[in-house]
Amino acid sequence: MAQAPVTVTVTGAAGNIGYSLLFRIAEGAVFGPDVPVNLRLLEITPALNAAKGVAMELADSAFNTLYDVDIFDDPNKAFEGTNLALLVGAMPRKKGMERADLISANGGIFGPQGRAINDHAADDVKVTVVGNPANTNALIAAKAAPDVPNERFTAMMRLDHTRAISQLAEKVGARNEDIKKLVVWGNHSADQHPDISYTTVNGKNAVDLVDDAWVNDVFRPRVAKRGAEIIEVRGASSAASAASGAIAHSRDWVQGTPEGDFTTVGMYSDGSHYGVPEGIVFGFPAVSRNGAWEVVDGLEISEATQAGIDKNVKALQEEFAIIQSLGLA
Ligand code: NDP
């Protein structure tokens, strides 16, 4: 294998998402089948043994593309030389927890991780945040990493995006690959705004194939609440599909998105797209070219889409105000 290995750090590596994610990264799903990977697993101290068990299973799989696996509970060591960071581990919302408490608890995780990325990661580091609240956690990490460009900190909106594709495909009797140019604006939360205004199905406009009532009353709420639906049916959260989303997001970032389509990425807003103010991490339509995400501009915004964008801006600005009040930004 001729290529130099890349270093990938995964946090929350012993958790449910980590358990699906690591094996696919190890097998080349992000960087391709010819690029060897060194994995660095970050866990909290009580979960180190569980991470060791996962590392043993990775070894047992004898992947050709997996070189080293190292386990840490210190972010300063875990992010040494990292090219790709997948920030999965997060503090879950506990009963009775207010949003400010949740953000504060996650500030204590994503702030130090952002600083460690700033100080120790490779110059080309790319960061995909999965742990919730993902958009604001990405922002906290970005703010703690002044030497890393803000646009390298992204929040995973890809699972929302593929949930929307799948719902539409099923409704119109198409295949997933027939569906292009869908976007989920905003926040990875119940406020998100899945939008098929620009979507085509085999070249036909999606809006001509379904009625507004289905879009507003079935499609949008179902996509936004799909996580809860999975928990109810499966009895556990949607870990494997979240891992698939993180893989697809990271793979496209590294290898590029296909021509003639776009995807959804939670990106740092620089204030120049669709009236979204600077300084929040927002789900935009995006393409990846030469290892960088670019927002797709020029889409015509309907009243309904504008209302969806505004609602998400408001929610994310409220979260931003909380991180400012906590001294995290
Ligand atoms: P999961 O691996 O299932 O989930 C991890 C994070 O991903 C959560 O924030 C969760 O948000 C989010 N998530 C889950 N499902 C989805 C989805 N479908 N779409 C988008 N995001 C999703 O959690 P576990 O509890 O199994 O594992 C967490 C691990 O992280 C534990 O092993 C823990 O020890 C570790 N951890 C590590 C830290 C560190 O490295 N410093 C810090 C904190 C925890 P939600 O809660 O909303 O479902």
Side-chain angles (χ1 to χ4, degrees), residues 12 15-17 42-44 88-90 113 131-132 159 163 188 238 242:
N16 285 307
I17 296 175
L42 178 65
E43 258 301 350
I44 51 174
V88 178
Q113 290 181 0
N132 284 315
L159 181 57
R163 282 169 171 166
H188 171 69
S238 47

Side-chain angles (χ1 to χ4, degrees), residues 10-19 42-44 46-47 50 72-73 75 87-93 106 109-110 113 130-134 137 156 159-160 163 188 227 231 237-239 241-243:
V10 177
T11 76
N16 285 307
I17 296 175
Y19 197 60
L42 178 65
E43 258 301 350
I44 51 174
F72 305 92
D73 59 0
L87 308 189
V88 178
M91 177 72 80
R93 189 187 284 266
N106 279 294
I109 296 168
F110 288 84
Q113 290 181 0
V130 176
N132 284 315
N137 288 341
M156 182 186 77
L159 181 57
D160 307 300
R163 282 169 171 166
H188 171 69
I231 290 175
S237 76
S238 47
S241 52

Side-chain angles (χ1 to χ4, degrees), residues 117 121 143 145 147 161 168 199 327:
I117 288 168
K143 293 285 174 193
D147 303 331
H161 184 89
L168 179 62
T199 305

Side-chain angles (χ1 to χ4, degrees), residues 235-274:
S237 76
S238 47
S241 52
S244 289
I247 295 276
H249 171 114
S250 305
R251 179 203 59 221
D252 283 359
W253 195 354
V254 170
Q255 300 193 29
T257 43
E259 288 298 328
D261 198 3
F262 51 70
T263 187
T264 304
V265 178
M267 289 171 71
Y268 184 86
S269 171
D270 65 3
S272 69
H273 307 283
Y274 298 106

